[in-house]
Amino acid sequence: MVMRRCTWAYNDELKKYHDEVWGKPQHDERMLYKMLILEGLQAGLSWDLILRKEDAYAQALDDFDYVKISLYDEEKYNELMETPILIKNKLKMKSIITNAKAFIKVQEEYGSFDEYIWSYVDKKQIIHSYEKSSDVPSFDELSTQISKNLKKKGFRFVGPTIIYSYLQAIGIYNDHEIECAFYKNI
C-alpha cells in the first residue's frame, strides 16, 4: 500500500522532510532557530536545494548553535562566505548572525523563543483543510503580524511568506492536504 503524501513531497529529500519534520509541533529552541534560518535561506530558491545543503550548514554553523553564532565576527562571516557549498548571498549570510542575536533577545524577553512564537496561537496547532497544496496561501494575517513583530525585534529575512512557511515547518500550521496520511496524525 502506498502512503499518500502532500503532492509537493515528490522526491526522497522532500518525503523525508515531509514525514519527519513538516507540520509537527516543534518546541526545541535550537530547532526553532534552525528552521527560521533555513526558511530565510530558501527565499527565491527551491526547498529541496536547501535540504541538500542542510548538513553543510549544520557543520559550518556549529550545528545551528545560536549562542555560538551570535558571537561570530567578521572573520567567521568571511569564512562562511568562502565555504564552497553554502549559498553566497551576503544578506542571507549576515542575517544568520543577526537573527541569532535577535533570537537570544526574544528568549531573554519571553523566557524562550518557543513561548514567544506559540503565544500567537495560544499554544495550539492550527489545522487548515486544504485539498491540494496549491490551495495553501503564501501568507496570511498571522504570518504578516509575526513578520512585522520579528522585524521590530531586529530579525532579517522574515517576510510574511517566509514566516508562513516557518509556521508550517514548526507545526504551528498543519497544512497537510486532507488526503495526506499526516493530515490529522501529527
Side-chain angles (χ1 to χ4, degrees), residues 22-35:
W22 195 74
K24 293 184 193 286
Q26 182 57 249
H27 300 284
D28 177 77
E29 294 291 294
R30 190 178 292 200
M31 189 67 168
L32 291 170
Y33 171 75
K34 172 185 171 178
M35 294 314 300

Side-chain angles (χ1 to χ4, degrees), residues 30 36 70:
R30 190 178 292 200
L36 188 63
S70 72

Side-chain angles (χ1 to χ4, degrees), residues 34-141:
K34 172 185 171 178
M35 294 314 300
L36 188 63
I37 296 311
L38 293 178
E39 290 295 344
L41 288 169
Q42 190 268 334
L45 302 169
S46 68
W47 188 244
D48 56 338
L49 171 70
I50 299 304
L51 291 175
R52 287 193 307 271
K53 294 179 179 285
E54 182 180 354
D55 288 342
Y57 272 97
Q59 185 175 0
L61 298 172
D62 292 296
D63 199 28
F64 296 97
D65 183 333
Y66 51 86
V67 174
K68 289 180 181 177
I69 294 168
S70 72
L71 301 173
Y72 286 0
D73 56 15
E74 195 68 24
E75 184 179 329
K76 179 63 174 180
Y77 164 79
N78 290 330
E79 177 187 317
L80 292 170
M81 288 301 293
E82 293 170 11
T83 303
I85 196 168
L86 304 184
I87 297 163
K88 304 297 184 266
N89 180 305
K90 292 177 184 180
L91 295 176
K92 287 181 180 183
M93 194 65 77
K94 286 225 183 257
S95 76
I96 292 169
I97 301 165
T98 300
N99 288 353
K101 293 173 184 176
F103 192 90
I104 292 168
K105 286 181 183 173
V106 167
Q107 287 178 318
E108 291 167 354
E109 184 178 350
Y110 292 86
S112 69
F113 192 84
D114 177 66
E115 185 66 33
Y116 163 76
I117 199 69
W118 281 90
S119 71
Y120 280 97
V121 293
D122 199 27
K123 300 179 183 171
K124 295 180 180 104
Q125 184 181 55
I126 296 173
I127 301 172
H128 293 130
S129 297
Y130 298 114
E131 287 188 33
K132 42 191 197 301
S133 295
S134 60
D135 295 337
V136 178
S138 58
F139 65 92
D140 65 3
E141 188 176 320

Side-chain angles (χ1 to χ4, degrees), residues 135-176:
D135 295 337
V136 178
S138 58
F139 65 92
D140 65 3
E141 188 176 320
L142 180 59
S143 71
T144 301
Q145 178 187 0
I146 294 171
S147 169
K148 287 178 183 176
N149 191 265
L150 287 171
K151 287 177 184 176
K152 284 181 188 172
K153 293 183 178 305
F155 287 83
R156 300 290 174 256
F157 280 90
V158 290
T161 300
I162 290 171
I163 295 305
Y164 191 96
S165 293
Y166 179 64
L167 297 176
Q168 293 172 311
I170 65 169
I172 285 180
Y173 284 169
N174 176 349
D175 280 351
H176 286 282

